[in-house]
Amino acid sequence: MKFLDLSSQYQSIKKEIDKAIKRVLEGNQFIGGDEVKEFEKEIAKFCGVKYALSMNSGTDALFLSLKALGIGFGDEVLTTPFTFISTAEVIANCNAKPVFVDIDPKTFNINPSKIEEYLKAKSYKLKAKAIIPVHLFGQMADMDKIIIIAKKYKLYIVEDAAQAIGATQKFKIQNSKFKIRSAGTVGDLGCFSFFPSKNLGAYGDGGMVVTNNEKLAEKIRLLKNHGSSPKEKYLNLILGANSRLDTIQAAILLVKLKYLEKWSKVRAKKAALYTYQLSKFKELITPSIASGHTHIFHQYTIRVKKNLRDKLSKYLLSQGIPTMIYYPIPLHLQPAFKYLGYKKGDFPEAEKASEEVISLPIYPELSKKDQDYIIQKLKEFSL
Ligand SMILES: *Cc1c(COP(=O)(O)O)cnc(C)c1O
């Protein structure tokens, strides 16, 4: 059994994928071909936003989003320490300062009241310019609260939706009515990754920024292509980067996007089966879906007590079941961020999560037989 089996997904759509790749190879438009524009259009439609700008990675989507907002030296950007390195790395690479805020232990996402706590304490001299909430494992952070805080303190929001394409949250609007909004479309800018293991994965690197803001969209379109004028060749208006999505990846992603909703539903079904079977064991804490949210289960991550977690992962491996730890070291304790001066104990919930989490295999092609076997072995361990 594999933790993630990408080859079975390829086999299920091989004909379409092969045809799409062949079309690009024969078309000879390897950069900026029709498929790139088409894919941007389809992502904008899928998310319900005006603009979608393809990138060569999720990391660059985040990086150029901050650049487009003018984040730089002397600015602070708030984010969670319980995420992949990219989220905070891009802040530092803009010469700004990452400021970490602890998480909600139930959802693993940034805790809005901790954001407000920090901002209140610093409000006499606020250097914070933006928040990057991360929609970890496939569930949106509590954006309902985060947008209110961002408005109050005049902060931009860049959503790290790398793991959450298609996840939704209900928002209260007037007269006790609700509106449903999807990951990436709530903040000023939203960022996706098409890293192969993501729910919508390319066969290489890829990313996307989505927004409803025309000015920001234009700025990002410039930034991702060396600041080159769209009208005149070799006229460079600003300094940018080379961060375009390859035509071949766009063609592959166009095929896969058609299946994304179906795949997300299958993931949610498999997650529901895990939760139904495992939630009665008090050693195992199954994932919680916050009220008003949908979860696309990029990862199915349970918690087990610190001293049991490594035992469990070893036991499962001995039974032929691979698992993963996302993430074993919270970012404030990473050697790369030593210069920020954080220490152990600063973010107790993030630290506790990093000692207790374990992610189980979950992907649309995971067979019923394999999942039943995983459940059986978890039960044997828990009894
Ligand atoms: C995957 C991921 C990224 C980075 O995306 P890449 O496409 O690998 O650069 C950023 N943030 C989170 C939370 C991710 O999971």
Side-chain angles (χ1 to χ4, degrees):
M1 193 187 310
K2 289 181 186 159
F3 182 74
L4 172 64
D5 182 3
L6 290 174
S7 67
S8 57
Q9 186 191 67
Y10 170 56
Q11 288 308 323
S12 74
I13 51 173
K14 186 176 185 312
K15 261 197 195 141
E16 281 180 279
I17 293 279
D18 290 358
K19 205 171 127 199
I21 292 175
K22 193 159 173 256
R23 193 177 62 232
V24 176
L25 293 182
E26 286 168 353
N28 272 303
Q29 273 271 314
F30 300 115
I31 302 289
D34 292 343
E35 284 84 353
V36 175
K37 284 176 214 97
E38 180 68 22
F39 181 55
E40 288 178 340
K41 224 170 78 191
E42 289 300 319
I43 286 287
K45 206 162 91 190
F46 180 85
C47 296
V49 291
K50 286 191 192 146
Y51 309 99
L53 303 123
S54 56
M55 297 276 158
N56 77 352
S57 69
T59 303
D60 268 13
L62 289 163
F63 179 60
L64 296 184
S65 289
L66 294 182
K67 283 277 175 203
L69 293 170
I71 305 290
F73 187 76
D75 297 336
E76 291 181 353
V77 179
L78 275 60
T79 194
T80 161
F82 194 59
T83 176
F84 182 59
I85 184 78
S86 284
T87 317
E89 187 183 37
V90 295
I91 302 169
N93 283 343
C94 285
N95 299 314
K97 185 180 164 192
V99 170
F100 296 117
V101 170
D102 211 354
I103 58 165
D104 171 348
K106 282 221 174 86
T107 62
F108 302 111
N109 283 325
I110 195 165
N111 183 338
S113 52
K114 297 281 174 187
I115 299 177
E116 183 130 42
E117 215 171 85
Y118 177 84
L119 294 169
K120 233 183 211 158
K122 298 274 172 174
S123 58
Y124 62 96
K125 204 178 157 198
L126 199 61
K127 292 182 181 169
K129 288 279 155 59
I131 309 174
I132 309 184
V134 179
H135 307 320
L136 203 68
F137 302 147
Q139 171 169 228
M140 286 172 75
D142 192 352
M143 296 305 292
D144 208 356
K145 294 210 182 86
I146 292 171
I147 47 177
I148 294 168
I149 297 167
K151 256 199 199 119
K152 186 168 159 192
Y153 291 91
K154 298 193 171 58
L155 306 180
Y156 295 114
I157 298 175
V158 177
E159 295 175 68
D160 182 342
Q163 302 187 2
I165 189 164
T168 63
Q169 183 180 353
K170 257 183 178 175
F171 286 79
K172 280 188 220 97
I173 51 174
Q174 283 139 0
N175 311 328
S176 68
K177 278 192 185 137
F178 289 94
K179 191 176 175 190
I180 290 174
R181 297 170 79 177
S182 70
T185 71
V186 181
D188 297 280
L189 297 153
C191 302
F192 298 115
S193 164
F194 307 123
F195 185 81
S197 65
K198 298 286 154 76
N199 286 28
L200 179 62
Y203 292 150
D205 276 310
M208 185 80 75
V209 178
V210 293
T211 184
N212 282 311
N213 184 314
E214 188 184 357
K215 277 211 177 106
L216 288 175
E218 260 168 35
K219 186 90 186 271
I220 287 171
R221 204 183 295 284
L222 281 177
L223 284 169
K224 63 176 257 196
N225 191 25
H226 306 292
S228 307
S229 162
K231 293 191 187 108
E232 193 178 330
K233 235 184 166 183
Y234 300 113
L235 175 67
N236 301 87
L237 305 173
I238 55 172
L239 294 177
N242 173 354
S243 185
R244 299 167 303 231
L245 182 70
D246 291 344
T247 310
I248 212 163
Q249 299 302 344
I252 289 160
L253 289 163
L254 266 170
V255 172
K256 288 199 178 193
L257 180 58
K258 291 189 294 185
Y259 297 95
L260 183 60
E261 263 178 285
K262 192 177 107 194
W263 288 337
S264 294
K265 276 192 192 131
V266 179
R267 280 174 186 268
K269 253 195 186 152
K270 293 193 187 295
L273 178 65
Y274 270 138
T275 297
Y276 176 72
Q277 292 289 348
L278 300 176
S279 54
K280 47 182 167 281
F281 297 97
K282 66 176 189 323
E283 294 87 352
L284 312 176
I285 300 171
T286 52
S288 47
I289 305 177
S291 133
H293 287 245
T294 61
H295 198 317
I296 60 156
F297 287 99
H298 173 59
Q299 299 298 342
Y300 186 87
T301 303
I302 60 173
R303 295 177 84 125
V304 277
K305 284 273 169 294
K306 180 184 170 182
N307 47 355
L308 274 183
R309 198 262 309 266
D310 295 342
K311 239 191 196 162
L312 174 61
S313 90
K314 271 195 199 119
Y315 172 72
L316 290 175
L317 194 60
S318 76
Q319 303 299 305
I321 301 166
T323 56
M324 293 290 276
I325 309 298
Y326 300 117
Y327 294 93
I329 306 171
L331 297 191
H332 67 288
L333 302 178
Q334 288 286 357
F337 283 128
K338 198 164 187 248
Y339 72 96
L340 292 172
Y342 288 110
K343 58 184 188 313
K344 208 168 161 64
D346 283 345
F347 305 107
E349 290 301 346
E351 290 167 27
K352 196 161 169 245
S354 69
E355 291 170 339
E356 295 186 354
V357 289
I358 177 166
S359 299
L360 306 177
I362 189 161
Y363 48 93
E365 300 78 16
L366 178 70
S367 70
K368 175 84 171 62
K369 190 168 141 265
D370 281 351
Q371 196 186 7
D372 286 344
Y373 176 74
I374 297 167
I375 291 167
Q376 182 203 330
K377 292 295 158 189
L378 277 157
K379 282 182 176 173
E380 282 173 20
F381 179 84
S382 305
L383 287 174

